[in-house]
Amino acid sequence: MQILPEVPLLDHTTLGSFLARRFETQSEKLSDIPHPSQLKDAQKGAERLARAIRNNERIALVGDYDVDGVTSTAIVKRFFDLIPYPLITTIPNRFTDGYGVSKNVLERLDADVIFTVDNGINAIEAAEVCNARGIDLIITDHHTPSDTLPSAYAIINPKQSDCPYPFKEICGAQVGWLLMGLLKQELELTINMRQFFPFLALAIIADVMPLVGINRAIVKTGLEMMQSSTLSPFVLIRDFLNRSAVTSEDIAFQIAPRINSAGRLEDAKIALDFLTAETTEQAYHQFELLTALNTLRKETEAQTTAEAMFHVNPEDSIIVVAGEHWNEGVVGIVASRLVNHFQKPAIVLSIHNGIAKGSGRSIGSVDLYSLIKSQEHLLAKFGGHKMAAGLSMAAEEVETFRHGINEASKSVDPADFIPHNEIIGELEHEAINFQLLEVLERFEPYGEGNPRPRFLIRDAEVVTVKLFGSDQSHSRLELRPSCISSKTLELIAFRRTLACPEDKKMSCSYTVNKNEWNGRVSIQLMVERIF
C-alpha cells in the first residue's frame, strides 16, 4: 500500500506565495544573458566564419534531426538568408546517416568550412576526415563531452570543463544563436537577434531545458512574440492551436511531437521546410505532412511500447530492453513511457543487423549519462546528458550491458530515484475556480525546473469512470472528495484506460489547466498519478 504524502491545505494566497519562492534567487532578465564571447572558442569560430564569408568560401552546416537540432538549423539558415550568403544545409537522416556529423555525411559535402549545431562533441572520426581534407570544422553542441574531444578547429560547448560560460544548461539552438550573435558583430551587421526568440523558445521547451534564469526569460519573451509573429510557421501554429495565448505546454505536447515526427519516421527536412517556410501555404503543406507522420508515430510507438513491456525485468533498477527491428525513431519515446509506468530510468534498444541502437531516459536525479559511461567498454558509441542519452553496441552485448549498468546503479543514492513531481498541497473544492487559473498563469511558463503545481485528492469516492477518444484510450473520472458531501470533480487521464476500483475509493495527484475550445474557457483537471 502506498503512503500518501502529508501536504498542507492551500488557498490562492498560500499557493501564490509558494510559487513565488521558486524564483526568489533567480534573475529572469534578458539583459542577464551572458555575452557569447564567454563561450570557449566562440570568438574563434565567429572570426573563421566571417573570414569565410569575406573570402567567398563554401560554408556547410550540419544539424540534427530532433526539434532542437532542426530549430538550430532553421535559426542559422534564416540568419544566413538575412546576410545574405549561400549556406549548404544538411540534416543527417536517422536511418541512412545515423547521428550527427559523420563520415557518411561528410562524403556528400564539398565545403571549406563545416560547422555543426546540436551535435559533434563526440565526432572524433569526422574531425579526422575534415583535417585530412583541409576543412575547418567548427563544432557547436551542448551535450556532455567525453574524456577525448575531437580535433576540430573550434569546439563551442558550455559543458566543457574549461568553458567559462556561466549558464551551462542551454540547448543546442541557444549555442548556435550565440555564435550567430558574434558573427553579426564580426561582420558589423544590424540584424536584430531578438527576432529568433520564438525559435529559441520552441527549442528550449522541446529539449526539456530547465525553465529558470535566462531560459525562462527567453521562453517567456519567445512565447509572447510567437503570439504576434508574422512568420509563416508561427502563424500556422497559432491557427492550429486556436488559443488566446500559446503556452509552453502547447509547444511541449502539441507542436514539438509533430516537428520531431519527421526525423523519427522519415526525414527531418520536412520539419526544417516547415520552420523556414516563406509563405503560409508552404507552412500549411509541411504541417499537414508533420501531422500525418505524428499520427503514424503514435501508432508505431503504442505497438512498440506494448512489446517492450513484455521484455522488462521488474527487479532491475535500470530498465534495459531490446527488440528486433523496433523503429529507431520511437525508442526514445518508448523509453519515456517505460519511465512513467515503472518510475525507473529506462533504455530501449532496436536491433538491426546485429547492432543494438537506442535511447535512454532518466528520472529524478539519476545521472543516466554517467551510468551508461560506466559501461563504455561494451559500447560502440554513446552521448547525451544526465536525463537523456543515445547509445549503440553489438547485439550480443545487450545482456552484459543490462547486468553491468544495474550493478553500477547500486552506488546511486536511492533518493535520486524519486521523481521530481512534488505534490504541493490539497485544494478545497471551492478554491478550484477561475481565480485559481489566474494565480497559476502568473507563474508560467511551466516545464522542467518550474513544474506545473500538482495537488492531491485523498480517498475520494469514485462515482463514474468512462473511456473516451476514437480508440477509447483516455479516461474521464468523476470523483467525490471525502472532504465534501455532494459536489463532485471531473478529472481527465490522457492515454490511460482506468477502471473503477473495487472499494470505489481513489487517491491521486492532478494539475489544474485552462481548457479552450471554440472560444469557450473552462477549468480542466488532469490526473498525474494514482496512488
Side-chain angles (χ1 to χ4, degrees):
M1 181 179 174
Q2 297 186 63
I3 299 172
L4 296 178
E6 288 299 324
V7 291
L9 194 64
L10 298 173
D11 58 22
H12 297 158
T13 303
T14 52
L15 173 62
S17 299
F18 173 87
L19 293 174
R21 283 196 296 275
R22 287 180 175 178
F23 307 108
E24 281 176 347
T25 59
Q26 299 172 18
S27 174
E28 295 175 23
K29 293 185 290 191
L30 293 173
S31 57
D32 288 330
I33 297 174
H35 195 275
S37 61
Q38 292 189 56
L39 276 167
K40 180 175 184 271
D41 276 3
Q43 191 65 48
K44 183 182 180 184
E47 288 170 3
R48 180 65 187 93
L49 287 173
R51 191 164 73 248
I53 290 168
R54 292 191 188 103
N55 295 337
N56 205 28
E57 294 179 74
R58 293 159 301 176
I59 304 174
L61 173 70
V62 179
D64 186 28
Y65 39 63
D66 69 357
V67 180
D68 188 16
V70 175
T71 308
S72 305
T73 308
I75 288 171
V76 173
K77 186 177 186 314
R78 283 182 174 274
F79 181 90
F80 271 74
D81 287 346
L82 291 169
I83 295 177
Y85 192 86
L87 178 70
I88 304 161
T89 305
T90 186
I91 296 180
N93 182 288
R94 182 191 297 266
F95 306 102
T96 56
D97 296 320
Y99 171 75
V101 56
S102 62
K103 198 175 175 182
N104 223 14
V105 171
L106 291 174
E107 283 175 2
R108 60 176 187 264
L109 289 179
D110 183 18
D112 302 298
V113 179
I114 293 174
F115 74 107
T116 72
V117 280
D118 194 34
N119 75 91
I121 196 63
N122 292 320
I124 290 168
E125 186 184 29
E128 289 171 358
V129 171
C130 286
N131 289 333
R133 287 173 55 187
I135 298 168
D136 285 334
L137 175 64
I138 299 168
I139 292 168
T140 81
D141 203 347
H142 72 121
H143 295 101
T144 306
S146 298
D147 298 331
T148 305
L149 294 175
S151 177
Y153 180 87
I155 299 177
I156 305 161
N157 183 337
K159 288 202 176 80
Q160 292 179 92
S161 59
D162 56 347
C163 178
Y165 197 78
F167 203 83
K168 304 293 184 183
E169 293 302 319
I170 59 177
C171 68
Q174 287 166 280
V175 181
W177 174 75
L178 288 166
L179 177 62
M180 291 304 99
L182 282 177
L183 180 57
K184 168 200 161 179
Q185 285 185 355
E186 282 297 309
L187 296 173
E188 298 180 342
L189 301 171
T190 56
I191 293 169
N192 181 3
M193 298 305 290
R194 281 176 64 103
Q195 67 183 283
F196 298 105
F197 279 179
F199 294 98
L200 292 175
L202 174 61
I204 291 167
I205 294 164
D207 221 47
V208 201
M209 292 293 105
L211 297 187
V212 298
I214 62 169
N215 285 353
R216 182 170 168 79
I218 292 170
V219 168
K220 215 169 179 178
T221 306
L223 290 174
E224 288 168 5
M225 291 174 66
M226 214 179 279
Q227 200 56 41
S228 57
S229 174
T230 56
L231 292 177
S232 299
F234 300 118
V235 171
L236 198 286
I237 285 171
R238 281 200 308 274
D239 288 350
F240 170 74
L241 293 172
N242 192 26
R243 292 171 62 94
S244 57
V246 181
T247 70
S248 56
E249 289 144 318
D250 291 330
I251 297 297
F253 299 115
Q254 296 288 335
I255 306 304
R258 284 172 164 79
I259 294 173
N260 250 334
S261 66
R264 290 189 188 283
L265 297 184
E266 286 283 342
D267 196 300
K269 188 176 185 304
I270 299 168
L272 180 63
D273 288 346
F274 168 67
L275 291 178
T276 55
E278 291 299 322
T279 67
T280 310
E281 289 75 22
Q282 288 172 334
Y284 179 83
H285 176 71
Q286 296 306 120
F287 197 75
E288 287 282 286
L289 293 175
L290 293 174
T291 298
L293 284 171
N294 194 48
T295 301
L296 179 59
R297 186 270 305 167
K298 286 192 275 193
E299 293 167 0
T300 308
E301 171 214 318
Q303 182 183 338
T304 308
T305 301
E307 291 177 26
M309 288 283 190
F310 286 111
H311 291 71
V312 172
N313 182 340
E315 304 302 314
D316 286 350
S317 298
I318 312 291
I319 293 167
V320 179
V321 293
E324 288 280 348
H325 302 294
W326 285 346
N327 188 302
E328 261 180 55
V330 302
V331 291
I333 312 174
V334 173
S336 295
R337 298 280 177 256
L338 296 184
V339 170
N340 290 339
H341 184 85
F342 293 100
Q343 298 289 289
K344 298 174 181 179
I347 295 168
V348 180
L349 302 161
S350 171
I351 299 173
H352 289 268
N353 301 322
I355 300 295
K357 192 189 295 184
S359 296
R361 299 290 183 269
S362 194
I363 196 170
S365 300
V366 176
D367 188 342
L368 187 61
Y369 177 87
S370 294
L371 287 172
I372 289 171
K373 192 176 190 304
S374 73
Q375 306 304 304
E376 190 173 2
H377 58 286
L378 300 172
L379 305 176
K381 278 184 185 176
F382 74 101
H385 44 81
K386 184 175 176 178
M387 298 306 291
L391 65 164
S392 65
M393 70 192 85
E396 62 263 25
E397 301 286 11
V398 171
E399 200 55 26
T400 308
F401 173 82
R402 183 178 74 81
H403 283 294
I405 199 167
N406 273 282
E407 196 60 36
S409 74
K410 289 178 181 176
S411 64
V412 177
D413 185 338
D416 287 354
F417 286 86
I418 298 170
H420 295 157
N421 55 356
E422 175 191 12
I423 297 169
I424 65 169
E426 292 185 67
L427 290 171
E428 290 278 10
H429 185 278
E430 290 74 18
I432 303 173
N433 53 27
F434 285 101
Q435 189 184 344
L436 173 65
L437 279 184
E438 289 173 12
V439 173
L440 293 172
E441 283 177 357
R442 284 210 304 270
F443 299 96
E444 289 186 344
Y446 293 110
E448 183 69 21
N450 180 38
R452 182 171 281 276
R454 293 167 170 85
F455 306 104
L456 180 68
I457 293 179
R458 191 187 301 269
D459 298 325
E461 177 193 343
V462 181
V463 180
T464 60
V465 179
K466 293 178 182 175
L467 302 183
F468 69 98
S470 57
D471 54 357
Q472 300 286 284
S473 61
H474 314 302
S475 304
R476 183 178 282 109
L477 312 176
E478 189 181 355
L479 304 182
R480 182 176 288 117
S482 55
C483 58
I484 54 177
S485 55
S486 57
K487 292 181 180 177
T488 61
L489 295 173
E490 182 180 280
L491 294 93
I492 302 294
F494 275 123
R495 294 197 190 93
R496 295 170 76 177
T497 52
L498 303 175
C500 185
E502 284 184 25
D503 63 356
K504 292 198 169 183
K505 288 285 184 184
M506 183 180 287
S507 298
C508 67
S509 60
Y510 68 98
T511 60
V512 180
N513 301 66
K514 180 195 222 176
N515 185 39
E516 291 186 49
W517 181 250
N518 285 338
R520 181 174 170 267
V521 177
S522 60
I523 297 169
Q524 191 169 64
L525 310 183
M526 308 288 293
V527 174
E528 282 283 321
R529 182 180 173 193
I530 294 173
F531 294 92

